Amino acid sequence: ERLNVCIAKTQYSFSDDAKALGRARGFKLSVKDLQIRTGAGFIVAVCGKIMLMPGLPKVPNALNMKITSEGVISGLA
């Protein structure tokens, strides 16, 4: 199967260095991890210091939550 590549890096620069603002030149892109997201159909190249959002399960936990008329909440993990 062929997978597309998604590059996760800072939004502030073409490089992976947030301090090299804008159109940085003469840099090396450091890939610290590769993550396969077969369900979405791509590979994520994680570059530099970046925090990724967690993926969601097929069945969201919110479907298991209940709130009674008294305000009692159940089903939280």
Side-chain angles (χ1 to χ4, degrees):
E1 180 175 331
R2 295 180 64 148
L3 299 175
N4 294 313
V5 176
C6 174
I7 299 175
K9 59 167 207 57
T10 180
Q11 64 190 9
Y12 301 111
S13 175
F14 281 139
S15 74
D16 60 2
D17 181 1
K19 294 177 184 170
L21 299 177
R23 203 171 122 200
R25 296 177 188 267
F27 63 89
K28 291 183 181 180
L29 191 65
S30 301
V31 177
K32 68 178 187 178
D33 191 20
L34 291 174
Q35 299 180 358
I36 300 172
R37 308 287 188 196
T38 53
F42 56 86
I43 296 173
V44 179
V46 181
C47 302
K49 293 181 180 178
I50 187 134
M51 182 177 19
L52 301 176
M53 294 180 67
L56 298 174
K58 286 186 178 184
V59 179
N61 288 330
L63 296 178
N64 298 323
M65 290 190 268
K66 305 276 188 269
I67 302 175
T68 67
S69 59
E70 293 82 28
V72 177
I73 302 171
S74 64
L76 299 175

